[in-house]
Amino acid sequence: MPTDSRYILESLARGCVTLSEDEFVIDRLVKYVGNGRIRWHVEFRGHRIELTTGQIKRQPTFRRKILEQAGVLPPQRFGADYRRWALDLRKNAIELPWRDRPVDAGFAIDRLASHGDGRWTVEYQGKAVKFTTTKLRRQVSFRKRMLAKAKVLPPELAPPAYRKWMDWLMQNATEAEPQAGEASMTEKSWLDDLQELAGWQDEVRPHETD
């Protein structure tokens, strides 16, 4: 197996994307404490990358882990600049108990597909979960529906981080292949097809009040 530095050089030769400091903005760093161990999860563009303290401190390893799991290479900082950045990152981490394993660990969607007219499909581990634009932009609705349909609870981000992540997903969404009968579906009919998770309804539709 190549060293971290060699792996990065080989990836650069193949044309991997290197982000600038302005582009590489981590959504959240979570520090999980429990069983005498500390685990760190970097949340970035919908990816969750698990690291040890040593891997965060060592820049080549940190950059390699992000590249392997998120497909982009963080900017290179030099010497004390990286050490300060990594220290500030750890100081601002959100600390949570580990329990057995976070239910949202390893969450990363495979694809967001646009069907037009405010209709979307989130593809996750072989499951296609329907959303409207409104439901997709509301983090509570997104997490509830993913739990109901895909049996996974996505990480809860700070509202600005969630909006930024969702805007990025929508901007990079692919066009879905039209299916029979889909072209005539309105956003309302798409919404009617979304089954709510029992006990989690936070919105009451007019016809449900009769």
Side-chain angles (χ1 to χ4, degrees):
M1 179 181 292
T3 64
D4 296 328
S5 297
R6 173 57 60 185
Y7 180 88
I8 290 170
L9 288 173
E10 291 174 353
S11 298
L12 287 171
R14 292 193 297 268
C16 75
V17 176
T18 303
L19 301 181
S20 68
E21 290 195 18
D22 291 338
E23 293 173 320
F24 184 65
V25 180
I26 290 173
D27 297 320
R28 189 173 73 158
L29 177 67
V30 182
K31 178 182 180 181
Y32 286 103
V33 180
N35 298 327
R37 293 182 58 194
I38 295 176
R39 305 164 181 84
W40 305 86
H41 283 182
V42 171
E43 296 175 3
F44 173 71
R45 292 186 177 180
H47 297 273
R48 178 177 281 237
I49 299 119
E50 185 171 341
L51 298 162
T52 64
T53 304
Q55 288 171 333
I56 294 178
K57 288 182 175 180
R58 190 171 186 276
Q59 182 171 201
T61 305
F62 177 82
R63 297 178 80 209
R64 175 177 183 162
K65 294 282 284 187
I66 300 294
L67 178 59
E68 286 178 331
Q69 298 187 44
V72 292
L73 184 64
Q76 184 172 8
R77 296 174 169 88
F78 295 94
D81 184 33
Y82 179 80
R83 289 193 293 274
R84 283 192 299 269
W85 179 85
L87 182 60
D88 289 341
L89 184 67
R90 299 197 303 278
K91 283 182 177 178
N92 291 305
I94 298 170
E95 187 169 318
L96 295 174
W98 176 256
R99 298 187 178 94
D100 293 325
R101 183 165 179 82
V103 292
D104 54 2
F107 177 77
I109 70 171
D110 299 318
R111 186 175 76 131
L112 177 65
S114 171
H115 299 261
D117 297 326
R119 294 172 293 119
W120 309 81
T121 298
V122 171
E123 297 179 5
Y124 174 81
Q125 295 189 357
K127 298 180 178 67
V129 185
K130 290 181 179 179
F131 286 93
T132 62
T133 301
T134 300
K135 292 285 186 183
L136 203 56
R137 287 195 177 279
R138 292 177 182 169
Q139 181 170 200
V140 171
S141 299
F142 175 75
R143 298 180 79 224
K144 288 177 181 178
R145 185 151 180 80
M146 290 302 296
L147 180 60
K149 292 298 181 181
K151 308 305 179 189
V152 63
L153 184 62
E156 184 176 4
L157 304 178
Y162 181 79
R163 288 193 295 270
K164 180 172 61 178
W165 175 61
M166 191 52 63
D167 286 343
W168 182 84
L169 282 179
M170 289 180 167
Q171 290 168 7
N172 291 277
T174 58
E175 295 294 328
E177 294 293 332
Q179 299 177 1
E182 184 180 288
S184 62
M185 290 186 71
T186 63
E187 182 165 345
K188 182 179 184 303
S189 64
W190 188 267
L191 182 62
D192 289 341
D193 192 43
L194 303 183
Q195 299 178 11
E196 298 292 343
L197 177 61
W200 284 41
Q201 291 97 328
D202 54 0
E203 298 173 3
V204 179
R205 298 176 195 160
H207 66 270
E208 291 176 337
T209 59
D210 297 337

